[in-house]
Amino acid sequence: MCVLPNGNTLSDLFDYAQNRWGNQFDASEKKALNKILAEDLFGFKIIASSDVKNIRVSESEILQWMRSVKRVGAGEPVQYVTGKALFYGLVFTVNPSVLIPRPETEELVEIILGDHNESALHVMDFCTGSGCIPIALKHHRPNWKMEAVDISEDALKTAQTNAEKLHAEVTFYEADVLTGEGIPEGNWDILISNPPYVAINEKAQMEASVLHHEPHLALFVDDENPLLFYERIAEISPSRLNKNGCIYLELNPIYAESSEALFKRKGFETTLIKDLSGKFRFLKAVK
Ligand code: GLN
């Protein structure tokens, strides 16, 4: 029998994790991680801290807990350890083939929903990753025709799994946004993208857990041309958008103005939008 030093309740698991992580995380981070692990690994819903003393755990849960605590301690993002990430109120499956959906991207979804309540729109998402954007939108606008592309076959498998689990009808295509290969025919009312936008020279400022575990293909662009994806989108969108079509992009705030200039030059009506931390993180461009 596998036993923890004191007993086999959830509270003992929490104590085990606290000790094992030592001062690697501060007290509030440790508390939050314990809660995420208990909820996402075992499905416990912890409302009050007194609950944890009364929940008994099985031997296999203890073993799974120990393995997971070790992985989190080694710097792996907790969402990859549990395989789950919350985005816009929905639980998405994640793994290292996709970026963990970010709160900024939830803001992007919020902006699009706030701007559009037309019932039937044709929407395309470039570089969809886990599929979090089109799936979250489809939940709130069930009549929209949703399509999405990504270059990574593994990311697309994850996106497809998410669409099925979350009962969202989204059509995914394997395509290279930069060459145009694989992008389906048709014209869109809304084009969305959160493409790779972190320049290699920003690596030093990044958190180790992101740098060592999240997919570089989804994050990084060359220092020489950090706006590669935005240039390409500006180039193709005039002919692919319907009249009054809109583009919504997540941006690297460092390049907000130069990203905007690309679309101004093509005659779009542009607006830079700040994220909750006050940085210009989004661009809206209207044809
Ligand atoms: N917002 C992500 C980060 O800062 C980057 C996402 C992206 O490159 N599109 O880690």
Side-chain angles (χ1 to χ4, degrees):
M1 171 69 189
C2 165
V3 271
L4 291 159
N6 299 314
N8 55 354
T9 67
L10 196 52
S11 169
D12 299 311
L13 294 187
F14 282 14
D15 289 345
Y16 170 84
Q18 308 261 17
N19 290 332
R20 167 98 204 197
W21 292 326
N23 51 19
Q24 208 173 335
F25 305 107
D26 67 32
S28 63
E29 283 172 327
K30 287 202 265 195
K31 208 172 152 200
L33 286 168
N34 269 335
K35 189 168 186 287
I36 294 172
L37 286 175
E39 293 188 346
D40 289 353
L41 290 177
F42 306 146
F44 294 136
K45 204 85 213 116
I46 298 156
I47 314 271
S49 51
S50 56
D51 292 351
V52 301
K53 289 209 187 322
N54 301 319
I55 297 176
R56 302 196 78 75
V57 288
S58 69
E59 184 171 355
S60 77
E61 284 170 334
I62 295 174
L63 289 171
Q64 191 185 359
W65 185 267
M66 288 172 154
R67 276 197 307 272
S68 304
V69 165
K70 189 173 171 195
R71 286 172 64 185
V72 171
E76 208 173 325
V78 67
Q79 293 91 338
Y80 288 153
V81 174
T82 61
K84 292 176 188 162
L86 193 63
F87 180 84
Y88 216 76
L90 300 168
V91 178
F92 284 80
T93 294
V94 293
N95 55 56
S97 73
V98 297
L99 276 191
I100 296 163
R102 304 288 201 269
E104 300 89 277
T105 311
E106 291 183 320
E107 291 181 56
L108 183 63
V109 168
E110 184 83 15
I111 293 166
I112 298 168
L113 290 175
D115 281 358
H116 298 276
N117 56 11
E118 302 96 315
S119 66
L121 293 180
H122 185 186
V123 180
M124 168 57 85
D125 179 35
F126 279 175
C127 311
T128 197
S130 63
C132 61
I133 297 174
I135 292 169
L137 288 174
K138 185 78 183 175
H139 257 248
H140 292 269
R141 298 288 182 267
N143 293 325
W144 287 5
K145 178 181 175 188
M146 306 297 312
E147 292 182 308
V149 309
D150 203 281
I151 197 170
S152 155
E153 210 184 316
D154 289 338
L156 287 167
K157 277 188 200 144
T158 307
Q160 189 63 49
T161 302
N162 280 319
E164 282 161 22
K165 277 194 182 162
L166 295 166
H167 311 292
E169 196 189 328
V170 180
T171 312
F172 295 101
Y173 302 86
E174 189 175 332
D176 183 346
V177 168
L178 297 178
T179 63
E181 201 183 327
I183 297 177
E185 298 292 316
N187 277 58
W188 314 303
D189 298 301
I190 300 181
L191 172 61
I192 309 162
S193 189
N194 172 21
Y197 62 60
V198 181
I200 304 278
N201 65 26
E202 295 177 72
K203 267 189 181 174
Q205 290 101 270
M206 288 179 82
E207 280 178 43
S209 66
V210 176
L211 198 55
H212 298 315
H213 297 278
E214 298 208 57
H216 286 197
L217 182 66
L219 283 170
F220 292 113
V221 278
D222 285 341
D223 292 340
E224 293 77 50
N225 196 1
L227 296 183
L228 189 66
F229 284 88
Y230 299 87
E231 281 171 6
R232 181 72 195 155
I233 292 168
E235 220 168 83
I236 68 162
S237 48
S239 67
R240 300 299 306 268
L241 281 175
N242 286 328
K243 191 165 178 276
N244 300 323
C246 295
I247 304 175
Y248 291 89
L249 304 172
E250 188 173 317
L251 306 174
N252 185 333
I254 301 176
Y255 307 113
E257 280 78 18
S258 37
S259 306
E260 183 183 29
L262 293 172
F263 291 84
K264 272 208 167 112
R265 230 176 280 145
K266 295 278 176 188
F268 284 90
E269 189 89 34
T270 61
T271 320
L272 284 174
I273 304 167
K274 285 182 178 167
D275 64 16
L276 290 175
S277 67
K279 293 181 177 157
F280 283 118
R281 175 78 62 185
F282 313 105
L283 174 68
K284 176 180 177 184
V286 183
K287 192 172 154 183

